[in-house]
Amino acid sequence: MSTFTELLLIAVGSALVNNVVLSQFLGICPFLGVSKKVETAAGMGVAVIFVIMLASMVTNIIYTAILVRFGIEFSQTIVFILVIAALVQFVEMFLKKNMVGLYRSLGVYLPLITTNCAVLGVALTNVQNSYNFIESVVNGLGVSVGFTIAIILMAGVREKIMYNDVPKSFQGSPIVLVTAGLMAIAFCGFSGLI
Amino acid sequence: MKNKYLERIFNGIIKENPTFVIMLGMCPTLATTTSATNGFGMGLATTAVLIFSNLLISALRNVIPDKVRIPGYIVVIATLVTIVELVMQAYVPALYQTLGIYIPLIVVNCIILGRAEAYAAKHTPLLSACDGIGMGIGFTCALTIIGFCRELVGAGTILGHMVIPEDFHVGIFVMAPGAFFVLSVLTALQNKFKAPSATNLSKEERRKKKALGEPAGCDGNCQSCMLHAEEAAEKALENKKQDKEVAR
């Protein structure tokens, strides 16, 4: 039971309290680029959940099975970024070949995720907090769900901002960043949760 | 002869300042500028990686095959970042602790890959290294200035010394939301003065500039770039529309 509580704490902590976009500032670029419509934001969110969970599984296995065994933990950054890049490439190829429908709706986001700092960030925090396999996957799930929540909320707000009269200098990304700041204040409210 | 190298350095600091003018690498800019010292440390770490990555990538530009150049660059950059990380861990452990995960994340900072693609892959090693020095100093200055402002307004201190009494602190500025507000004011100023930034150029303008051989700081080749994200979103919507028509 206590392990379940721990896992829940990890998930809630990384999804809401330390939200990956709004308090860690990882993955800002897709957050700003894909959040124009709720539809695209949701697609991106699902793609991110899938890739981050897969990446945290694979990097955890590689870290414990290869890097720790041979005592070369210092090379984690190089290994992780290459593994993630190769993984995303494989997923993209697999979807293109076997699931054309899914590829057309989600596959277009995959290249964006290759060098997304959120994915590498999750792999590195898993190592930093010395999470085991299950904890890593749960942490990955939490982070990516947090990203999805943030991007979908943002897309909903942006659809409304379209109809507003924004000062000329603030049109485009500045007003989006102000919105992100206000959302970040709201997410500060979650800090009492754990 | 000397002017050419000096010109590159000043170009990075003023004309094409990576933060204030071309707006590259905003993630570390937001995350590590809670104080002037942190911003300065992050800037120096990035500068070290940038100089050597530009130098190495430029030296290897005829060796790395064009098709696998991005993975090649990433390996070079990741190696350099690991070296910087280990050096920092050994000599400035306090700073290493505060910056934490953002040091290894220099690997995915768009300034580094952007400069490798836009400059180092086309120019001689010495010129590229000078470009790295310029861009690095520009980035460090920008981070220090932003960190200084946030620290002064948010915590009322200058380099750790209290100058504003506690009643007048606007604490939000050293916290996460403050970073977004600072960045939004910066981009608004960019829009106002129509600076040639990576974020406010449209696709057509960017293409035109690229054809003239003067890309705005980066070629927009990094896959996770905001512009790519926008394009991908458009494509996804189009695909969905087509699929609906086919189903009908």
Side-chain angles (χ1 to χ4, degrees), chain B residues 131-217:
Chain B
D131 183 71
I133 296 174
M135 284 284 157
I137 296 177
F139 187 63
T140 312
C141 289
L143 253 61
T144 316
I145 293 170
I146 296 176
F148 181 83
C149 296
R150 280 181 69 187
E151 189 187 342
L152 187 68
V153 178
T157 55
I158 292 178
L159 299 173
H161 301 291
M162 181 80 81
V163 285
I164 300 177
E166 205 160 322
D167 294 345
F168 299 100
H169 294 176
V170 190
I172 203 92
F173 270 91
V174 280
M175 299 195 318
F180 284 110
F181 292 137
V182 170
L183 185 63
S184 105
V185 172
L186 267 181
T187 19
L189 288 174
Q190 285 259 323
N191 279 352
K192 178 95 186 156
F193 297 115
K194 294 213 165 28
S197 83
T199 47
N200 66 15
L201 275 185
S202 70
K203 231 187 309 176
E204 286 73 33
E205 285 172 309
R206 177 172 290 277
R207 233 170 249 155
K208 219 182 276 168
K209 277 216 146 187
K210 199 173 175 180
L212 286 172
E214 41 179 76

Side-chain angles (χ1 to χ4, degrees), chain A residues 21-34 36-37 39-40 74-78 81-82 85 101 103-105 108-109 111-118 120-122 124-125 128 158 168-175 177-182 184-185 188, chain B residues 26-28 30-32 70-71 74-75 78-79 81-82 85-86 96 100-102 104-105 107-108 110 113 150 172 175-177 179-181 183-185 187-189 191-192 194 199 222-226 228-230 232-240 242-244:
Chain A
V21 187
L22 297 172
S23 79
Q24 309 280 311
F25 310 107
L26 302 179
I28 300 267
C29 304
F31 178 67
L32 298 179
V34 192
K36 266 189 188 149
K37 287 217 162 70
E39 212 180 337
T40 53
F74 63 86
S75 61
Q76 46 165 322
T77 316
I78 310 172
I81 186 88
L82 289 178
Y103 176 76
R104 286 171 65 84
S105 55
V108 280
Y109 300 116
L112 295 179
I113 306 174
T114 320
T115 47
N116 184 342
C117 29
L120 186 61
V122 173
L124 290 169
T125 32
Q128 220 169 40
R158 274 183 86 169
K168 199 155 182 282
S169 329
F170 273 86
Q171 277 167 13
S173 39
I175 191 69
L177 287 162
V178 171
T179 319
L182 293 174
I185 293 181
C188 280
Chain B
M26 293 327 280
C27 296
L30 290 175
T32 59
I70 302 279
I74 289 180
V75 173
T79 313
V81 169
T82 309
E85 198 186 344
L86 292 175
Y96 175 80
I101 195 172
Y102 296 102
L105 284 179
V107 179
V108 283
C110 7
L113 204 58
R150 280 181 69 187
I172 203 92
M175 299 195 318
F180 284 110
F181 292 137
L183 185 63
S184 105
V185 172
T187 19
L189 288 174
N191 279 352
K192 178 95 186 156
K194 294 213 165 28
T199 47
C222 305
Q223 281 296 337
S224 66
C225 182
M226 209 179 103
H228 278 272
E230 275 173 6
E234 277 164 27
K235 203 175 164 210
L237 279 182
E238 214 172 83
N239 279 349
K240 230 172 211 176
Q242 279 176 8
D243 288 349
K244 255 181 210 161

Side-chain angles (χ1 to χ4, degrees), chain B residues 16-115:
Chain B
E16 281 194 358
N17 186 297
T19 306
F20 292 141
V21 183
I22 44 184
M23 311 219 72
L24 284 175
M26 293 327 280
C27 296
T29 311
L30 290 175
T32 59
T33 52
T34 46
S35 74
T37 343
N38 287 352
F40 186 68
M42 184 66 194
L44 279 192
T46 313
T47 306
V49 176
L50 195 52
I51 295 171
F52 289 106
S53 78
N54 265 6
L55 186 71
L56 279 178
I57 285 168
S58 164
L60 294 171
R61 68 186 190 282
N62 297 325
V63 183
I64 301 176
D66 202 41
K67 268 190 181 164
V68 291
R69 66 181 195 287
I70 302 279
Y73 297 164
I74 289 180
V75 173
V76 171
I77 295 167
T79 313
L80 290 167
V81 169
T82 309
I83 295 171
V84 166
E85 198 186 344
L86 292 175
V87 169
M88 285 182 78
Q89 199 172 2
Y91 293 103
V92 274
L95 190 64
Y96 175 80
Q97 282 294 329
T98 7
L99 296 181
I101 195 172
Y102 296 102
I103 301 171
L105 284 179
I106 295 175
V107 179
V108 283
N109 188 334
C110 7
I111 297 181
I112 305 203
L113 204 58
R115 287 321 285 176

